[in-house]
Amino acid sequence: METEEEFDAIFGSEPDLAYHEQTIHDIQKYRRLLENELFFDRLLKAVGIDQASKLYPPRSNNDLRILFDQITSSTSPDHQKQSLVYYILRDLPPKKKSAEAFAESSYLPEKYQTFIDGIWFLDRLKLERALDYLTSPSLIPTFPDDILYTLCRHAPQNDSSLPLSYYHSVSPPLASMKVLSAFFERSCKASLTEAFYFARQSGQPKHRQLFEQLITFVHANSAGDVRASRALELIHLPLDEDEEQWFEEFLNEGKGSTLYGAKDTLMMRKIAKGQVRDAVYLGSKLSGRKIDGMNWTTLQEGLQKGATTQ
């Protein structure tokens, strides 16, 4: 790709050609929502362009020319520079310069166009549209952990299908605890049991960290019937010896001991395991409490009767 003289050939020579004010406002809004870094910012950095937020969005025709010059003067391969120009063209006013026409005239490989389309939609938090492109088998995963984290943070809270679909399609490395934790919470929302087995596969020390996160999720992110259902699923998980110890330590004396209903969960786990005498002892600390419609004094009396017959 040539340098400055190519600008007019691609964008036209109209001196007032620039982004609409609303477009600029929207881009800045989405950058804030994306923790002050668009995926386009990452692409600019990848070709050696720093201070992306000062260059994009361009606020005038001159700013647009400066951004174009920064891209074309980089030492990156032409297809990378063309991809960035294609992204920029997508934001121009309708009936101006067509991104698709540029992609065709510059022979931009289809897979790069597919990737940029996905990134463009992702930067505008149009997540379903973004995944239509970013899960294409023609693509080599780029920024997979960052994309997964964005899906975990911004997908509807009651629907984890988008992050789970991307994870199973692309297999991101989950290299940081930040990304792993965000994905694991989404996994817990989708299926507590499947999340439990996922944690087992993570190896130490992540296994214990995720296991404790699962327990916290049940107690801190649920209410009413949902909490009761998740708690019932939790206490019946097939814990191994280590997990059993972690369960007790976390809820009895660890960070989980302050969670709402922590001792209740311990007691119900012991009941589920048939450890009635231990359950009676724990129940003595819960006398008079009524949680989720259950009076623990009444339950304790029943347990004591059962324990005496053993």
Side-chain angles (χ1 to χ4, degrees):
M1 182 180 288
E2 301 295 334
T3 53
E4 294 181 4
E5 64 271 17
E6 287 292 297
F7 182 89
D8 288 349
I10 295 172
F11 292 92
S13 58
E14 301 173 46
D16 62 342
L17 178 67
Y19 286 4
H20 285 156
E21 284 297 323
Q22 186 60 50
T23 299
I24 294 171
H25 173 79
D26 289 343
I27 292 170
Q28 292 171 330
K29 176 187 71 176
Y30 287 121
R31 179 180 275 129
R32 288 192 296 271
L33 290 172
L34 290 166
E35 299 184 356
N36 296 314
E37 187 174 36
L38 296 167
F39 283 89
F40 186 64
D41 298 341
R42 293 177 171 89
L43 292 174
L44 289 176
K45 289 178 182 178
V47 300
I49 300 175
D50 296 324
Q51 298 181 321
S53 62
K54 293 184 178 180
L55 293 168
Y56 180 83
R59 291 160 178 78
S60 66
N61 185 268
N62 186 59
D63 288 344
L64 183 59
R65 289 176 179 272
I66 291 172
L67 176 58
F68 179 78
D69 181 65
Q70 289 277 315
I71 292 170
T72 55
S73 62
S74 78
T75 58
S76 299
D78 280 352
H79 64 263
Q80 290 186 12
K81 293 186 281 190
Q82 291 165 347
S83 297
L84 296 175
V85 173
Y86 173 74
Y87 182 106
I88 294 168
L89 283 164
R90 291 207 53 154
D91 288 311
L92 285 175
K95 300 181 181 179
K96 293 290 183 179
K97 295 301 174 179
S98 165
E100 289 74 19
F102 169 76
E104 183 177 349
S105 64
S106 64
Y107 301 102
L108 180 65
E110 185 176 351
K111 66 179 180 179
Y112 291 102
Q113 186 175 345
T114 297
F115 173 66
I116 292 299
D117 285 338
I119 291 299
W120 189 87
F121 280 116
L122 191 62
D123 275 341
R124 282 137 192 84
L125 294 179
K126 296 180 179 180
L127 304 182
E128 289 190 40
R129 293 294 307 277
L131 254 62
D132 288 341
Y133 295 97
L134 294 175
T135 55
S136 170
S138 68
L139 299 183
I140 297 174
T142 304
F143 311 130
D145 272 7
D146 295 323
I147 292 172
L148 179 63
Y149 180 72
T150 297
L151 294 170
C152 290
R153 284 205 64 212
H154 295 283
Q157 288 301 307
N158 61 349
D159 184 3
S160 295
S161 60
L162 291 178
L164 290 174
S165 175
Y166 182 75
Y167 174 78
H168 290 298
S169 297
V170 176
S171 298
L174 306 178
S176 73
M177 199 62 201
K178 169 185 170 182
V179 176
L180 178 59
S181 179
F183 175 69
F184 188 70
E185 180 159 337
R186 284 292 186 167
S187 298
C188 289
K189 289 180 179 180
S191 169
L192 208 66
T193 299
E194 289 186 19
F196 167 72
Y197 285 111
F198 176 87
R200 273 191 173 175
Q201 299 170 2
S202 300
Q204 285 287 30
K206 292 178 181 177
H207 179 190
R208 181 167 186 170
Q209 290 175 301
L210 294 178
F211 181 68
E212 291 178 351
Q213 182 180 340
L214 182 146
I215 298 171
T216 301
F217 170 81
V218 170
H219 291 80
N221 295 281
S222 311
D225 293 342
V226 174
R227 177 181 180 276
S229 175
R230 286 173 174 167
L232 191 63
E233 189 175 357
L234 173 64
I235 64 173
H236 284 95
L237 289 174
L239 307 186
D240 62 25
E241 186 176 340
D242 286 337
E243 291 162 343
E244 200 73 60
Q245 182 179 344
W246 300 340
F247 188 88
E248 292 234 4
E249 289 176 354
F250 184 67
L251 289 175
N252 199 36
E253 56 194 39
K255 292 181 180 179
S257 61
T258 59
L259 292 171
Y260 176 81
K263 298 297 186 294
D264 311 277
T265 301
L266 277 173
M267 180 178 178
M268 294 306 295
R269 174 67 183 175
K270 292 186 180 300
I271 294 172
K273 292 171 60 183
Q275 298 174 346
V276 180
R277 294 185 185 278
D278 291 341
V280 169
Y281 173 73
L282 271 176
S284 66
K285 300 180 180 181
L286 303 171
S287 297
R289 290 178 60 186
K290 190 173 184 179
I291 297 179
D292 291 338
M294 180 177 291
N295 186 296
W296 290 112
T297 299
T298 303
L299 178 59
Q300 181 193 6
E301 291 173 353
L303 289 170
Q304 287 173 330
K305 292 178 181 178
T308 57
T309 62
Q310 291 186 348

